[in-house]
Amino acid sequence: MKKLHENIIEKLLLVSAVAAIFVVALITYFIFADGLPVIQKYGLAHFITGIDWHPLEGHFGLLPMIVGSFLVTLGALLIGVPLSVGCAIFLAEIAPKQVTGLVKPAIELLAGIPSVVYGFYGLVILVPFIREVFGGRGFSILSGSIVLAIMILPTIVNISEDAIRAVPKDYKEGSLALGATHWQTIKKVIVPSARSGILTAIVLGMGRAIGETMAVIMVVGNVSVLPESILDPVRTLTGNIAIEMSYAAGEHSQALFATGIVLFVIIMILNLLVTLVPKRVGE
Amino acid sequence: MDKVRSSVYWEEKVAKVFLWASVVITLGALLAVIFHILQHGLMHVSWEFLTKEPRLMGKEGGIFPTIVSTVYLIAISLAIATPIGIMAAIQLTEYTQKGSLVKVIRFATETLAGIPSIIFGLFGFAFLVLFMGFSWSLLSGGLTLAFMVLPTIVRTSEEAIKSVPLSYREGSMALGATKWQTIWKIVLPSALPGIVTGVILSIGRVVGETAAVILTAGSSLNIPASVMDPARSMSVHLYILAMEGISMEKAYATATVLIILIFIINTLATRVMRRMSSNLIS
């Protein structure tokens, strides 16, 4: 019954489905092929524990960038998580329908705004503001954290809200029937039940923060020195690649691919964490 | 007893104030960004700005070449990612839903969605620009972006195809249609609005991408004559204007154009999505 062209189409479908695997493999191969030789030559320890980044003199210490990425991301989570989880609880539990109808499209729109636009806003408003209020140069961990916090809000709000809405109604009704107040129910029943979804949202937001490049470059100052306070400038792993890639050659270029490997491994670990988080209550 | 009651009462109040505040701050922060940029940029956006070529590295004149380059990048990336993404989604929903291959495919799609754009940029540079010899060009940039939006298109298409009621398929098969005829004539048309939404959202991602584009398409300000020419997208242009301090006025104007564009894209996406849900109900 099946015609020849249907067989061909079915083959094509399979090939397309496998394309994603193929692309991931290609990416992994090309990043590692270009970055591994220099890591092997100088040793992994040189890269991840060295604090000296002078690629033209053969010093490839990535520790300042690893610390930079880590601190900026941590700051973004400290600011962004309470706000966005609060926002998600509000939208799922408290907001009147009309408010949700207004807030949701607004958040979706903001999720689509290009990251350079957020970076540009950080550059013209946030950096001068921090310079004037807290001193320093303004280009700092703090400004990077704030810009990233704004950027990860939509991700965490959307996914956590879905998770909270997915909590069975009976749980809530049971709790209310036992005499708990609405907030007690949210705190003791709803949020714990939606815990895995909220956790997934936070890890995804974290991945977005670590991986963000342009917005961060525009506000953190990009100095490859270990920071001493949150008002110090830093450079992130992503920034290290983006800033120097245009003129790097030879080992310098390979060292940037090595930076890519470090970033890639961090992101893969986060991705694995997401898949490990149980999808539903009780699983 | 009263003490307990009143502490519960106060906790309730404080918590709700916090929840309200978090929404106000979240929306406030996000809207402040948009408002500030429109306020300073809208007056500099004119017909000339959109249709004239830049002079003095963009300090004067318009952004026409960057618009052309952005359109090229959208066209190339979607021409590649859309058919592959839809076909992958059909395979995953209509043919093999279970098994270890599907698990690997899903893992790969999720991984692809989580890889930072700068890594795509590095990969595009190593693979397309150098290894394939495409150099910094619209082709390298477009292909890199195609890889980046592939997961979005696969996922949204999958959702759309899944939401087509089973009875549609059964009806078609009962009338003697083959599986592929059913997919082509019944399932895909019903899923089309959802698929289109995914494609529109991908356009937004392509428009906004900067890091990967700079590493693969370069930052030449000339109007590209072919897909093998280097080019600068609007987002890259905004980045360079702001970071090199070329012109804040032009940077605001470019950011404004980007925001308006994203606004239009999002409105289109929600419109199409709404039509989809009303179609399925009727």
Side-chain angles (χ1 to χ4, degrees):
Chain A
M1 285 287 275
K2 252 190 211 171
K3 293 180 194 125
L4 176 68
H5 79 269
E6 297 208 357
N7 279 326
I8 298 173
I9 287 165
E10 285 175 11
K11 291 268 160 22
L12 266 177
L13 294 178
L14 188 63
V15 170
S16 303
V18 178
I21 304 176
F22 185 62
V23 173
V24 170
L26 265 185
I27 292 178
T28 315
Y29 173 76
F30 271 91
I31 303 293
F32 278 80
D34 281 287
L36 265 191
V38 74
I39 294 185
Q40 279 165 342
K41 184 173 168 193
Y42 289 87
L44 186 61
H46 176 90
F47 279 87
I48 58 176
T49 60
I51 56 166
D52 194 14
W53 175 264
H54 285 103
L56 297 179
E57 284 112 62
H59 297 297
F60 302 117
L62 284 176
L63 190 63
M65 287 68 130
I66 296 172
V67 171
S69 280
F70 174 75
L71 289 178
V72 173
T73 303
L74 182 70
L77 291 177
L78 287 177
I79 303 166
V81 168
L83 280 180
S84 42
V85 173
C87 207
I89 296 173
F90 176 87
L91 287 175
E93 282 295 318
I94 294 178
K97 259 223 170 94
Q98 304 94 305
V99 178
T100 319
L102 268 173
V103 174
K104 283 223 72 159
I107 289 183
E108 244 145 63
L109 169 68
L110 295 158
I113 301 280
S115 56
V116 261
V117 173
Y118 286 113
F120 178 58
Y121 178 80
L123 181 71
V124 291
I125 295 295
L126 211 55
V127 168
F129 175 80
I130 287 173
R131 182 161 53 221
E132 266 162 43
V133 174
F134 301 102
R137 288 179 50 218
F139 292 98
S140 57
I141 297 175
L142 183 60
S143 40
S145 297
I146 296 175
V147 168
L148 281 179
I150 295 178
M151 294 181 61
I152 62 174
L153 284 172
T155 311
I156 306 184
V157 171
N158 282 335
I159 303 172
S160 324
E161 192 203 340
D162 288 344
I164 293 169
R165 283 193 194 276
V167 174
K169 274 246 148 46
D170 339 357
Y171 289 23
K172 183 180 170 185
E173 283 160 6
S175 166
L176 291 174
L178 288 171
T181 64
H182 193 186
W183 171 247
Q184 286 174 327
T185 306
I186 291 171
K187 187 174 71 171
K188 299 250 165 87
V189 177
I190 295 174
V191 170
S193 311
R195 193 181 47 219
S196 66
I198 296 175
L199 216 63
T200 306
I202 294 172
V203 178
L204 286 176
M206 197 170 155
R208 174 135 197 234
I210 293 178
E212 180 46 46
T213 311
M214 292 334 227
V216 178
I217 293 180
M218 294 169 93
V219 297
V220 295
N222 305 312
V223 182
S224 55
V225 174
L226 283 173
E228 279 162 14
S229 90
I230 58 166
L231 296 175
D232 280 352
V234 284
R235 176 184 284 202
T236 61
L237 289 165
T238 53
N240 197 40
I241 302 169
I243 290 166
E244 299 190 357
M245 202 60 213
S246 57
Y247 58 85
E251 272 188 356
H252 183 189
S253 167
Q254 291 184 329
L256 296 179
F257 276 92
T259 313
I261 294 180
V262 174
L263 184 62
F264 191 77
V265 170
I266 294 174
I267 294 288
M268 288 306 261
I269 292 172
L270 283 182
N271 277 0
L272 268 178
L273 280 181
V274 173
T275 52
L276 287 182
V277 172
K279 287 274 178 302
R280 248 175 251 285
V281 196
E283 260 180 38
Chain B
M1 196 61 198
D2 271 343
K3 224 178 184 178
V4 174
R5 281 239 173 100
S6 99
S7 86
V8 168
Y9 173 81
W10 281 110
E11 193 186 329
E12 187 94 2
K13 282 274 166 228
V14 170
K16 293 215 166 148
V17 167
F18 165 75
L19 292 180
W20 271 99
S22 63
V23 176
V24 171
I25 295 171
T26 302
L27 271 190
L30 293 166
L31 292 176
V33 175
I34 292 190
F35 184 74
H36 173 82
I37 285 168
L38 293 185
Q39 189 192 5
H40 291 81
L42 221 40
M43 58 196 159
H44 301 301
V45 178
S46 61
W47 185 244
E48 277 74 44
F49 182 70
L50 298 174
T51 56
K52 287 266 156 58
E53 290 194 42
R55 294 188 305 275
L56 304 169
M57 303 301 292
K59 196 174 174 64
E60 279 165 29
I63 54 167
F64 185 64
T66 68
I67 296 178
V68 174
S69 306
T70 307
V71 171
Y72 262 113
L73 288 173
I74 295 171
I76 296 169
S77 56
L78 289 181
I80 294 159
T82 309
I84 297 180
I86 296 174
M87 289 198 289
I90 296 173
Q91 174 74 31
L92 290 172
T93 46
E94 300 289 321
Y95 288 91
T96 39
Q97 284 122 318
K98 281 183 191 132
S100 51
L101 179 65
V102 174
K103 264 190 194 151
V104 179
I105 292 173
R106 277 190 206 289
F107 179 74
T109 312
E110 261 163 48
T111 306
L112 214 51
I115 291 179
S117 56
I118 191 76
I119 300 274
F120 278 99
L122 271 183
F123 162 67
F125 177 74
F127 177 55
L128 299 167
V129 175
L130 298 180
F131 183 78
M132 299 292 287
F134 294 161
S135 162
W136 281 292
S137 62
L138 285 168
L139 183 63
S140 302
L143 282 169
T144 308
L145 288 166
F147 299 142
M148 291 180 67
V149 297
L150 186 62
T152 314
I153 294 182
V154 174
R155 265 196 229 155
T156 45
S157 305
E158 255 192 280
E159 290 299 316
I161 292 171
K162 270 190 210 153
S163 72
V164 176
L166 204 59
S167 55
Y168 286 27
R169 295 182 181 83
E170 287 163 351
S172 167
M173 304 283 249
L175 289 171
T178 62
K179 185 156 192 183
W180 174 250
Q181 284 172 329
T182 304
I183 294 171
W184 185 246
K185 299 239 167 103
I186 307 293
V187 178
L188 281 184
S190 316
L192 195 61
I195 295 172
V196 172
T197 307
V199 173
I200 297 175
L201 291 176
S202 303
I203 296 178
R205 178 114 194 256
V206 171
V207 168
E209 183 47 45
T210 312
V213 176
I214 248 185
L215 291 187
T216 53
S219 56
S220 155
L221 249 183
N222 298 325
I223 298 180
S226 82
V227 294
M228 296 314 287
D229 278 352
R232 182 189 290 192
S233 72
M234 272 189 275
S235 296
V236 174
H237 189 53
L238 165 59
Y239 172 74
I240 292 174
L241 286 179
M243 279 305 270
E244 296 181 2
I246 293 169
S247 164
M248 283 300 150
E249 188 183 293
K250 298 292 177 195
Y252 272 116
T254 311
T256 302
V257 175
L258 279 171
I259 289 182
I260 294 172
L261 201 59
I262 295 297
F263 188 72
I264 294 171
I265 289 170
N266 268 45
T267 316
L268 272 179
T270 14
R271 280 271 165 81
V272 176
M273 206 61 202
R274 272 211 201 112
R275 252 191 61 201
M276 160 124 169
S277 35
S278 60
N279 269 359
L280 280 181
I281 290 163
S282 62

